[in-house]
Structures are given as C-alpha cells and as structure tokens.
Amino acid sequence: MQELSVVIPTFNERDNIQTLVPAVLAVFADHDIDGEIVVVDDNSNDGTIAVVRALEREHSAVHLLLREGPASLSRAWLEGFEAASKANIVCIDADLCHDPKLFPLMLERLNSCDVVIGSRYLADATSGEGKSIAAKLASKLGQYANRIFLGMSETDSSHSFRMFRKSVFDAIKGQMRSEGNVFLIEFLLRAKRNGAGVSEVPIVYGERTYGETKLRVGKESLRYLRFLFKSVLMGQRA
Ligand SMILES: Nc1nc2c(ncn2[C@@H]2O[C@H](COP(=O)(O)OP(=O)(O)OP(=O)(O)O)[C@@H](O)[C@H]2O)c(=O)[nH]1
Ligand SMILES: [Mg+2]
C-alpha cells in the first residue's frame, strides 16, 4: 500500500474544497492508497473553514491546519509539507484545476524518481483558456529563463501540481527562503542540486469555476526576477 499526504492550500475556496476532498478520498479508496488530506487555510472568511471542519469530523483522513500570522501561500505549502505524516506528498491547488485521478500514475512514477511534476507544457498536456495573457506570458518566459539561467531541463519548473518523497522536502526545507509562487521554482532547484531525480507527466490543466484567483502577476514577477538575479549571482544552477 503506497502512502500519500495531499497538501491543499486554501484561501476562500468553499465551493471547490467541498468537491475536491471527496474526489481525493475516492481516489484513495479506489486505488488502495494509505492517504491523508492536509488543508492549510489562511483564515478564509467565506465559510471554507466550516466546510473543512465538517469534512474533518466525517473522515479521519482529513486534517485542517489553520495558519497564524499574515497570509502566505509559500508558508502554507511549507507548513503543510511539514505537517504531512506520509512517505510521499502531493501538492495540489484547491480550485479543481488539477485532477486527483492522476495520483496513481504519479505514485507509480515515484518508484523510479524523487519528484514528479504535473506539466502544463509537455506535448500531450492541455491547458484551459481562462488565464490572463499576462499570466500565460510570465509563466512561459519564466520557463525559458529557468532553462537558460538555472539549467533546469523540465518543461514546467514552476507548477504547483507535483508529487515528491517527503525525504526530498526534509533535506531542503531549512534552506527554503522564497515567498509566493517562486517557492515552487526554488524547491525544484534545491531538490535537483541535492540530487533528486525529476520526471514530468502531462496534465489537463482545468479552469477555475468557483471563487477568485489570488495570483498577482506583477508582484510574483518581481519576486521571480529577484530570485533569478540572486541565484545567478551565487552560481546556483540545477
Ligand atoms: N493558505 C493559503 N492558500 C492560498 C493563498 N493564496 C492562494 N492560495 C491557494 O493556493 C491555490 C492556488 O491559488 P490560485 O488563486 O488558484 O492561483 P493560480 O492557480 O495561480 O491562479 P488561477 O488558477 O488562475 O486562479 C488555491 O488553492 C488557493 O486557494 C494564501 O495566501 N494562503
Ligand atoms: Mg488556480
């Protein structure tokens, strides 16, 4: 039986988390996975907390981790990974853009590598049209820059949908510095520099139906440029 902690950061995702948690539990049951779900919430004010508390009461595999202090997606990932009790971790957005039915394939891949990324850019992947042009452009340019300046060979080095051995996280967690989405690139860079083997699977990247995006492209791009500049200056390549 394979172990899996599913870490889901949430900020105002009531309608999505209500659908996602049962879908994840169904994948655990159908594929005989020894799984748990860790929802890391930043004090949502739309009823997300009440929904997750009710799911927590109903299913022993569901846990709610309520963050303290200022909201931070990167801190939510960090604290969620830290709280995960299983040998493998998968990081997934709450907004139903990532399909938990891919977990068994990703787990199988983990038999021969340490990190599996759900890629939006592999040949067989498909991506919804819902994102802004700025978000799409920033993501694509970031992929090129990561390849050229950081020596990353992956097609999607910045995506949140990824599975990894807990030991990969444990080895690098003390070095993680980035805030926001750059956390994901720093995670991969440090994991690779630490010898982790990385594989990618193509995904169908869905569209957000309920709730609003929290992504601020301008702010995230500035954070990214700072990170890139620092990494290049310090000679940090994959
Ligand atoms: N705990 C926590 N979760 C957050 C925070 N910001 C975003 N999230 C969650 O992180 C995930 C990704 O956020 P999104 O707003 O979907 O960002 P995105 O996927 O880049 O953009 P869209 O899919 O276009 O909305 C979702 O599950 C959000 O609820 C935060 O500050 N704290
Ligand atoms: Mg999203």
Side-chain angles (χ1 to χ4, degrees), residues 22-199:
V24 170
L25 291 171
V27 171
F28 289 168
D30 292 349
H31 297 273
D32 211 21
I33 293 170
D34 171 14
E36 67 173 358
I37 301 174
V38 181
V39 177
V40 193
D41 189 84
D42 257 306
N43 298 293
S44 295
N45 51 21
D46 70 336
T48 297
I49 295 172
V51 166
V52 180
R53 285 235 190 277
L55 289 162
E56 201 178 27
R57 275 195 297 275
E58 210 179 318
H59 307 279
S60 58
V62 179
H63 311 289
L64 173 65
L65 205 161
L66 261 185
R67 289 203 61 251
E68 285 170 13
S72 161
L73 179 52
S74 46
R75 297 294 315 174
W77 279 321
L78 205 65
E79 289 170 29
F81 300 163
E82 187 76 80
S85 69
K86 308 291 182 187
N88 305 301
I89 297 175
V90 67
C91 177
I92 180 171
D93 289 355
D95 57 6
L96 309 177
C97 293
H98 301 142
D99 188 353
K101 290 206 182 80
L102 262 179
F103 292 171
L105 173 71
M106 294 169 95
L107 271 172
E108 200 186 310
R109 282 284 185 95
L110 267 196
N111 288 324
S112 52
C113 66
D114 307 293
V115 180
V116 183
I117 295 175
S119 168
R120 297 163 289 182
Y121 303 123
L122 275 177
D124 293 338
T126 53
S127 199
E129 291 304 307
K131 296 267 183 187
S132 68
I133 291 174
K136 281 187 199 166
L137 193 67
S139 172
K140 284 270 171 72
L141 285 175
Q143 302 300 333
Y144 286 121
N146 289 345
R147 242 169 278 167
I148 293 165
F149 297 110
L150 303 179
M152 305 268 232
S153 48
E154 290 68 32
T155 64
D156 200 347
S157 46
S158 61
H159 200 36
S160 54
F161 192 15
R162 52 179 65 183
M163 191 180 285
F164 45 90
R165 299 172 192 278
K166 170 115 193 207
S167 56
V168 169
F169 169 69
D170 286 338
I172 60 170
K173 63 186 179 191
Q175 306 160 11
M176 294 297 300
R177 297 285 174 267
S178 301
E179 281 289 322
N181 279 276
V182 181
F183 175 95
L184 298 165
I185 302 169
E186 187 188 6
F187 181 104
L188 196 62
L189 181 64
R190 293 202 184 280
K192 284 173 73 90
R193 285 173 62 81
N194 214 36
V198 182
S199 167

